[in-house]
Amino acid sequence: MLDLTPKEHVERTALRINSCKTCQPVGALYAALGVHKCLPYSHGSQGCVAYHRTFLTRHFKEPAMASTSSFTEGASVFGGGSNLKQGTKNAFDIYDPDIIAVHTTCLSETIGDDLNAFIQDLDIPEGKLVIHTNTPSYVGSHIDGYFNMMCGFIRYLAKNTGKKNGKTAIFPGWSNPGDLREFKRLAGLMGVSYTMFPDQSGVMDAPMSDHFEFYPDGGTTLPEIVGLGDCESVIGLGELTVTEPCEQLKKKCKVAYEVIPYPIGVENTDRFIMALAAAAGCEVPYAIEEERGQLIDLMLDAHIWFSGKSCAVFGDPDYVLGITALVLEMGMIPKYVLTGTPGSAFHQKVNALFEQYNVQDQCTAKEFGDLFDLHQWVKESPVDLLIGSSYGKQIARAEDIPFVRAGFPVLDRYGHPLFPITCYKGAMRLVEQIANALMDRVDRDVPDEEFDIIM
Amino acid sequence: MDAKSMVLEQYSARVYKNRKEHILTLDGSGEIPVIAANARSIPGIITERGCCYAGCKGVVVGPIKDVITITHGPIGCGFYSWGTRRNQAKATKEGEPVFIQYMFSTDMQEPDIVFGGEKKLRQAIKEAVDIFHPKAIMICSTCPVGLIGDDVQAVANETEKLYGITCLAFSCEGYKGVSQSAGHHIANNGVMKHIIGTVDTPLENPFTVNILGEYNIGGDGFEQIRILNKCGIDVRTSFTGDASIDDLKSAHMANLNLVMCHRSINYIAEMMETKYGIPWLKVNFIGVDGTCQSLRDIGKYFGDQGLIDRIEAVIAEELAELAEERAYYRSKLSGKTAALYVGGSRSHHYQLLLKDFGVKTLLAGYEFAHRDDYEGRDVIPTIKEDADGKNIEHMTVEADPEKFRARLTPEQLEAVRKEVPLSDYAGMIPDMADGSVVVDDLNHYETEAFTRILKPDIFFTGIKDKYAIQKSGTLCRQLHSYDYSGPYAGFKGAMKFGHDVVMGLFTPCWGMINPPWKNRATIRAHVGGEN
C-alpha cells in the first residue's frame, strides 16, 4: 500500500498528491440540501453533479438529489443562459421544488456566465424561487462552497422587517445530521428559540419507511431563512466555515453574531453552552452539567490508554481544530495537524492551541497540504494514531497505525452520520473510539504472557 | 395505458417529444425498433450520466496501473475519481510500480485559470518525475483547460523529449460529447495512436488474446484470466483493468481480441483489426452460460482440437463444482423480476446471468450507449451524427505495412464466421423478451416511476439512485461497483452474484419496515359508563 511514497520530502509547488480537500460545488450542494424543498442545481457539465451526488451518497448512504444545466460544447462556447432557462423550467415542472439553489462550476465561471443577469431573465413559476452563488472550483475548497451557498441564501432571502422575532440563529458549519441533532437537542434543553441554518438532519438521515420522499421532512424552511434577518443574534459554529455568512447577515440585516470554535472537545463545547446560555438568558440545566461530568469522568478513567500518545489529525479546518483541541484535552500530542483547505488562519489557530498546551516543539501544522505530505511526515517519524477521513486508511494500512474515522468524507463505514462527534455526547463517542483503537492495538500486539483480560 | 405512456404523460410537451424516442416497449413483432441514444441529456433533468473526463480518465486511462495519471484542472475531478471505481491491480512483478491508490492533480488555482495552466502542468510533471521516476505519464484535462487554451499536447511532447518517457495528453474536457462515451472514444484514440504497437514483445503461446473493455472491477478480470489460463489461453493484456503500459504497447502481437464492454472499447477493436489484422470477438463472461459460450467461441476461432478439448474439460470441471450452489440460487430466485440500468454493456450481460437464475428482466437501459449497443452493429451506417458527436475525433487507420499480419486466411475467416459472430455485436434488444421496456439515459424521475409501475423485485443500477429505490421498498444493488463485492464474472463470479442477490432479497429487515403500531390499535378506549 502506497509503497511508492518515499521518506525523503521533496518540496512541491505544482503537483497535488492524494488531496485532502475537494472543490467548492459539492459544499454548495450539501448546504442547499439543508433547506426544505430545495433542489440544488449545478450550472455546468453534468459530470460535476454526478460526482458530487455520488460522493455525498457514499458518505451518507442516502440519496442526494440535485439537478444540472448539462452543458455541452455549444453551451461552453455560447454561454449557459439558455441551459439555465430550460433547466430550471424542467426542474420546476418535474421535481416541483419550492426553491432552486444554483451554484456555478469551474466551467461556467471560466466562461464568465453572469448568473445575476440570467436569473433576472428567468420565467419563475408563481410562488417559487431561484437563488444562486458563485463557487469557482479553482478557489478555496468544498468548505468555501458550503459557506458561499449559505451567503447566497442570505443575500437573496434574509430580510430585516424592523421587528425582531425573538429567535437565535445557529449556523452549524459543515456537520453530519447526528451533530445537527445534537446542537438542536442542546439548544432545546437550554430553552433557546432558534433557527438552525442549514439543517440537513431529516434529509440526509431520513428513515426507512414504506415510501421514498424526494423532499424529506427536514431542512430549514424558507420563512425561517427570510426570518434570519429578524433574529436576535447568530451563534456561528466553526470560525473558518461560518464567519462569512455571519458577516453577510450582519451587513444585510444588522444581526449581531458570535462565532465560536466548532464544538468538538470540552472547552469548545463549554463555549457553545455559554453562548446558548447568553442567548436564553438562563442557567445551564443539570442535564447538561451531568453530560459534561460524564465526559470528564470518562476522560479521567481512560487517560491511561491515551495520555502522551501521539496522533495525526487531518481533514476540514474546523473539524481538525476541534479534534486537535479534544486530543490535547485528553493529554495526547497532535504531532501532525493538516488541512487541504487554503488559508493562513488555520495555521494561527492550530499554533495557538499548541502553545496553550505547550506542545509547539513537538507538533507541526500545515494548511493547503495533502495526504502525501502527511504520509511522508509519518514515515519520517511515526505516530500512534491517525484521525481523519476515509482516505487516511491507506496511510493507516501502509504504516500499520490505528485509525479513527471522523470528518468528511467517510466513504467506507456505515451509520457514522447518525451519531455526533460534537458537544459532550459526541466527545464521549470520540474518546471511546480513540481509546478502543489504541487498546485494540495493544491487544493485538502484546505477547500472550502480557495479554490482559482487565484493562 | 402501458408503462411507457404512464411515465411519459407527466412530462411537458417539449420533454415528452424528446424522451419518447428514448423509451421502447418491445412488441414482439420481431423487428428491432429504433431507439434514440447518444444524444444530449435535457438540462434540468436529473440524469445519472457523467462526463467526458469520467469516461476517459475514470474508465479507460485510470486503471492503467504503472503510469502516473495527472488530472490537469481544479482539484475536484481528480479527487472524485480517486479510488472510487474499484479497479483492482497488483504489481506484475515484485518491485514493479502500482499507482492505482494515488491521486495526482495540478489543483489549478485562480491565477492558473487567468494566466494559463501550462506552466503549472510542466512543473507538476517535473515533480512527478523527480519523486516517482515513472515510465509514463498520462495527462487528463478537465473543463477549464480547454476553455483557457492550455496546449496539453505540446506539454506531452516536451515531456517525452525532456525525460525520455512516454507521455500522452487527453483533451477530455467534461463538456465534450454528451456523456462518458466521448471520453471513451478520446481515450481509445490516444491509446491507439501512441501506445499500441510500439513494442513487439513476441508471444509465448499462439493462443494469446487481449481482453478489451475489461476494467477488473471487483477482480472480474482476474477471474476471466484464471479460466482462460486454465484452458491454455494466455492473456497479453486487458484494456485496461490491471494493465501495465508495457503489455499495452505490445497488445498488437495477440491473435484475437475479446471484447467485453463493447461501448467503451469497440473503437480500438476495430482499429486493431484494420491496422494489425487481429479479428475481434464479442464475448460475455457474465453468467455461466455466457462464459461457456464465450469459451467455445474462442475454441472455434483458434480451431485447434487440443484447445477445444481442454475448453470442454474446463467447462465440465467448473460446472460440476458449482452445480449444487447454482441450483440453490435458482431455487431462491426463480420467478423474481429485475430492472437494470448500467453503463454500456452490463445491462445486457447481466440479463443473461439473471435468466440463468430464473429472474426475468422487465426493464433495461444504458447510461451512455449508442444505437448499436441496443440494436446491433448493422445500424452503424444509418446512425446520423449530430454536432456533439462531430466534435470528437474519428480516427481512421490503415493496415500497418510492417506489423499487419492476417491471423486467418479469407477461407478460414469465412468458415469461422459461420459459427462465431466475429467482429460483430448484435446488441441488447434481440436478447430481450416481448413486453419488456428499454430506456436510454434513464433519469431519476423515470426510475422512480418505472419502479412504481413495473414493481421489479430488484433494481440493478448505480450509487446515485440506489437509496432512492431502496427507500421505495425495492432492493437495489450497484452494478458499477458491485456493492463492494465481486468478482461477478466467470463461473465463480456468477455464484458470488447469486449469493449477493439472495442475501439482498432475503435480509430479515425487509420484514421490519412497518412498526407493529401501524397495524394494531394502541389506544385503549373505555366505553362510557364502564368502571
Side-chain angles (χ1 to χ4, degrees):
Chain A
M1 181 56 52
L2 302 182
D3 296 335
L4 306 167
T5 304
K7 197 167 149 185
E8 304 72 40
H9 202 91
V10 176
E11 203 49 50
R12 285 174 286 131
T13 57
L15 185 65
R16 179 68 67 207
I17 313 175
N18 297 354
S19 177
C20 186
K21 61 156 181 165
T22 182
C23 63
Q24 285 210 39
V26 73
L29 201 167
Y30 183 53
L33 285 170
V35 174
H36 185 61
K37 279 208 83 177
C38 173
L39 184 68
Y41 184 105
S42 163
H43 188 55
S45 157
Q46 69 210 9
C48 308
V49 86
Y51 276 141
H52 304 146
R53 291 178 61 212
T54 295
F55 250 70
L56 291 170
T57 300
R58 290 200 190 287
H59 176 87
F60 294 101
K61 318 293 183 204
E62 291 291 324
M65 304 313 297
S67 190
T68 166
S69 276
S70 287
F71 270 53
T72 56
E73 195 150 1
S76 308
V77 175
F78 300 112
S82 82
N83 288 55
L84 187 75
K85 202 167 202 166
Q86 205 192 337
T88 49
K89 183 196 178 307
N90 287 331
F92 277 123
D93 277 359
I94 300 166
Y95 310 108
D96 192 32
D98 287 348
I99 181 167
I100 291 176
V102 182
H103 60 262
T104 56
T105 57
C106 48
L107 168 49
S108 51
E109 285 290 333
T110 304
I111 63 172
D113 270 2
D114 180 354
L115 270 288
N116 278 313
F118 288 173
I119 288 173
Q120 273 171 17
D121 281 350
L122 293 179
D123 190 12
I124 300 167
E126 183 75 32
K128 307 282 186 179
L129 294 164
V130 177
I131 65 136
H132 93 280
T133 197
N134 293 87
T135 49
S137 316
Y138 42 78
V139 176
S141 76
H142 55 296
I143 297 299
D144 299 63
Y146 187 85
F147 65 66
N148 279 335
M149 183 47 93
M150 290 178 70
C151 291
F153 277 102
I154 292 167
R155 213 167 38 238
Y156 272 86
L157 301 178
K159 215 170 174 172
N160 180 348
T161 63
K163 200 173 157 229
K164 290 281 176 196
N165 60 15
K167 285 181 163 186
T168 301
I170 301 175
F171 290 177
W174 187 302
S175 304
N176 279 333
D179 294 304
L180 295 161
R181 287 178 190 270
E182 185 63 6
F183 302 149
K184 292 197 285 188
R185 186 182 69 87
L186 288 170
L189 276 173
M190 292 292 303
V192 175
S193 171
Y194 63 86
T195 294
M196 176 82 79
F197 167 69
D199 181 4
Q200 294 85 354
S201 68
V203 181
M204 297 311 280
D205 61 353
M208 183 73 192
S209 64
D210 54 4
H211 64 286
F212 166 68
E213 285 285 352
F214 193 100
Y215 302 107
D217 282 341
T220 315
T221 64
L222 291 178
E224 284 175 323
I225 297 175
V226 174
L228 288 174
D230 286 336
C231 280
E232 305 291 330
S233 64
V234 184
I235 303 174
L237 307 180
E239 294 159 288
L240 301 180
T241 312
V242 296
T243 303
E244 287 269 335
C246 286
E247 260 307 310
Q248 183 80 38
L249 187 64
K250 186 179 172 194
K251 210 163 71 189
K252 186 176 180 198
C253 302
K254 306 194 170 42
V255 182
Y257 69 84
E258 182 191 7
V259 180
I260 57 175
Y262 196 65
I264 296 177
V266 181
E267 198 184 325
N268 290 342
T269 306
D270 289 348
R271 288 191 60 181
F272 178 42
I273 298 297
M274 294 302 281
L276 288 173
C282 68
E283 298 214 334
V284 178
Y286 177 69
I288 293 176
E289 204 172 308
E290 186 184 42
E291 283 174 19
R292 188 182 186 281
Q294 287 175 318
L295 169 62
I296 308 300
D297 193 59
L298 169 66
M299 287 164 72
L300 187 59
D301 293 347
H303 79 275
I304 46 176
W305 296 105
F306 41 66
S307 203
K309 293 281 195 305
S310 65
C311 66
V313 185
F314 66 92
D316 298 338
D318 281 319
Y319 274 122
V320 169
L321 286 170
I323 293 168
T324 303
L326 174 67
V327 297
L328 283 165
E329 288 166 343
M330 291 166 73
M332 296 176 70
I333 313 295
K335 195 164 162 180
Y336 309 124
V337 177
L338 181 137
T339 187
T341 298
S344 57
F346 175 80
H347 209 96
Q348 291 154 11
K349 286 182 190 303
V350 180
N351 281 330
L353 277 170
F354 291 165
E355 277 163 28
Q356 189 185 337
Y357 285 85
N358 201 22
V359 293
Q360 61 273 29
D361 298 339
Q362 305 166 64
C363 301
T364 309
K366 187 174 185 179
E367 78 276 358
F368 206 29
D370 58 36
L371 297 183
F372 192 73
D373 288 323
L374 182 66
H375 191 186
Q376 290 197 309
W377 291 345
V378 169
K379 272 184 174 298
E380 188 89 11
S381 169
V383 288
D384 299 309
L385 180 74
L386 267 178
I387 308 173
S389 78
S390 285
Y391 288 95
K393 78 190 284 183
Q394 296 178 323
I395 301 172
R397 182 177 164 105
E399 306 303 326
D400 194 20
I401 306 169
F403 176 40
V404 169
R405 287 165 180 77
F408 178 85
V410 173
L411 308 168
D412 62 334
R413 288 295 183 271
Y414 293 77
H416 57 91
L418 298 172
F419 303 102
I421 59 167
T422 51
C423 305
Y424 305 125
K425 285 272 187 203
M428 285 185 231
R429 179 161 167 262
L430 259 185
V431 170
E432 188 196 10
Q433 286 183 350
I434 290 169
N436 285 351
L438 291 166
M439 292 170 78
D440 281 344
R441 170 53 50 98
V442 172
D443 279 342
R444 198 195 77 178
D445 289 350
V446 291
D448 275 3
E449 64 275 19
E450 291 176 25
F451 189 71
D452 280 321
I453 293 296
I454 52 164
M455 287 173 90
Chain B
M1 207 177 350
D2 70 351
K4 173 179 172 178
S5 313
M6 285 162 79
V7 170
L8 285 172
E9 73 168 355
Q10 302 295 321
Y11 283 135
S12 67
R14 200 165 161 194
V15 175
Y16 175 90
K17 205 174 140 212
N18 177 304
R19 288 302 302 158
K20 75 176 170 42
E21 308 297 330
H22 292 263
I23 305 176
L24 303 174
T25 308
L26 300 182
D27 61 6
S29 65
E31 298 258 310
I32 305 276
V34 174
I35 190 164
N38 192 33
R40 290 178 186 183
S41 297
I42 304 168
I45 293 234
I46 301 181
T47 173
E48 310 298 348
R49 278 174 165 179
C51 64
C52 183
Y53 166 85
C56 181
K57 194 273 182 180
V59 175
V60 182
V61 178
I64 305 174
K65 62 186 172 186
D66 51 357
V67 306
I68 285 187
T69 300
I70 299 178
T71 297
H72 184 38
I75 193 64
C77 305
F79 183 76
Y80 302 119
S81 56
W82 176 21
T84 45
R85 268 183 59 83
R86 304 192 68 236
N87 309 106
Q88 296 185 2
K90 52 185 178 198
T92 315
K93 285 195 294 271
E94 205 174 323
E96 288 280 312
V98 174
F99 289 103
I100 214 94
Q101 301 283 351
Y102 289 86
M103 182 228 78
F104 301 95
S105 166
T106 52
D107 189 7
M108 286 170 90
Q109 302 295 302
E110 194 154 23
D112 308 316
I113 301 290
V114 177
F115 303 111
E118 283 176 35
K119 198 174 140 204
K120 193 169 194 191
L121 177 61
R122 278 193 202 96
Q123 177 63 19
I125 289 169
K126 182 184 182 303
E127 290 168 7
V129 171
D130 285 350
I131 298 170
F132 299 102
H133 322 292
K135 43 185 146 185
I137 289 178
M138 310 280 153
I139 303 160
C140 291
S141 300
T142 73
C143 291
V145 170
L147 300 171
I148 63 174
D150 276 3
D151 191 347
V152 289
Q153 307 294 344
V155 176
N157 294 343
E158 257 175 55
T159 301
E160 295 212 330
K161 284 198 198 95
L162 200 56
Y163 303 109
I165 59 173
T166 304
C167 185
L168 272 70
F170 298 90
S171 295
C172 54
E173 288 83 355
Y175 53 77
K176 287 188 173 163
V178 300
S179 69
Q180 292 96 311
S181 179
H184 305 146
H185 198 159
I186 289 167
N188 274 230
N189 289 347
V191 170
M192 188 68 201
K193 255 186 232 171
H194 301 288
I195 299 180
I196 299 168
T198 51
V199 171
D200 301 332
T201 312
L203 300 183
E204 289 169 8
N205 176 352
F207 311 127
T208 297
V209 301
N210 299 310
I211 314 178
L212 273 56
E214 174 48 59
Y215 303 103
N216 203 26
I217 290 169
D220 272 356
F222 290 150
E223 168 66 357
Q224 291 165 42
I225 291 169
R226 178 189 76 83
I227 296 167
L228 289 166
N229 288 167
K230 200 169 162 182
C231 296
I233 300 161
D234 282 358
V235 177
R236 169 53 53 103
T237 184
S238 290
F239 283 76
T240 49
D242 192 42
S244 84
I245 182 90
D246 292 338
D247 291 338
L248 290 170
K249 284 180 175 176
S250 68
H252 62 295
M253 304 297 285
N255 285 326
L256 176 65
N257 277 333
L258 308 178
V259 172
M260 270 296 276
C261 174
H262 176 257
R263 181 68 267 135
S264 63
I265 210 88
N266 76 92
Y267 318 96
I268 283 181
E270 252 189 287
M271 289 189 279
M272 282 180 84
E273 181 161 25
T274 310
K275 191 170 177 184
Y276 301 110
I278 311 175
W280 62 272
L281 174 67
K282 176 74 186 79
V283 290
N284 173 21
F285 287 112
I286 303 298
V288 173
D289 295 339
T291 304
C292 294
Q293 179 70 46
S294 297
L295 291 173
R296 287 179 174 133
D297 284 353
I298 298 166
K300 282 178 192 151
Y301 167 80
F302 284 113
D304 178 272
Q305 198 53 47
L307 178 67
I308 291 169
D309 292 344
R310 268 197 308 279
I311 287 172
E312 288 307 325
V314 168
I315 290 174
E317 189 190 321
E318 296 277 335
L319 289 184
E321 249 175 60
L322 57 78
E324 202 179 321
E325 216 181 332
R326 188 183 187 191
Y328 171 74
Y329 297 137
R330 217 178 250 169
S331 76
K332 299 295 280 185
L333 297 175
S334 196
K336 302 284 185 202
T337 56
L340 299 103
Y341 179 61
V342 210
S345 288
R346 290 184 219 205
S347 300
H348 181 192
H349 292 161
Y350 279 82
Q351 288 189 45
L352 308 181
L353 171 52
L354 287 164
K355 198 171 164 191
D356 187 44
F357 288 131
V359 180
K360 188 179 165 194
T361 297
L362 304 177
L363 176 146
Y366 288 137
E367 198 172 303
F368 45 71
H370 299 198
R371 277 182 60 201
D372 40 315
D373 303 293
Y374 293 101
E375 303 168 49
R377 287 182 68 92
D378 291 349
V379 303
I380 289 177
T382 69
I383 295 176
K384 268 189 261 151
E385 186 108 69
D386 59 16
D388 300 312
K390 279 185 190 140
N391 291 334
I392 312 299
E393 184 199 359
H394 288 257
M395 251 177 85
T396 44
V397 292
E398 285 166 7
D400 188 297
E402 282 159 30
K403 297 184 180 178
F404 181 92
R405 186 164 53 82
R407 266 53 177 192
L408 300 175
T409 64
E411 297 76 35
Q412 282 172 320
L413 207 54
E414 200 178 320
V416 172
R417 280 229 164 90
K418 279 189 184 130
E419 291 193 78
V420 177
L422 222 46
S423 309
D424 194 22
Y425 175 45
M428 174 172 83
I429 288 176
D431 276 327
M432 291 185 69
D434 298 341
S436 47
V437 180
V438 183
V439 190
D440 177 69
D441 188 16
L442 181 77
N443 59 54
H444 171 78
Y445 156 71
E446 289 166 7
T447 303
E448 226 185 294
F450 276 118
T451 304
R452 197 170 53 239
I453 296 162
L454 299 175
K455 297 184 177 58
D457 293 303
I458 176 162
F459 210 125
F460 295 97
T461 174
I463 186 71
K464 296 190 289 294
D465 30 2
K466 175 183 169 92
Y467 295 104
I469 293 168
Q470 213 144 275
K471 279 203 153 63
S472 74
T474 304
L475 171 66
C476 182
R477 286 195 57 88
Q478 297 174 63
L479 218 42
H480 298 264
S481 71
Y482 304 162
D483 272 337
Y484 326 111
S485 179
Y488 282 167
F491 297 110
K492 290 194 196 313
M495 295 306 106
K496 182 91 189 156
F497 178 82
H499 166 272
D500 289 352
V501 176
V502 168
M503 171 180 81
L505 285 171
F506 296 96
T507 191
C509 54
W510 283 117
M512 302 172 197
I513 292 165
N514 286 316
W517 53 88
K518 288 268 183 190
N519 306 321
R520 225 173 27 232
T522 51
I523 300 169
R524 213 179 296 162
H526 295 283
V527 178
E530 260 185 61
N531 298 336

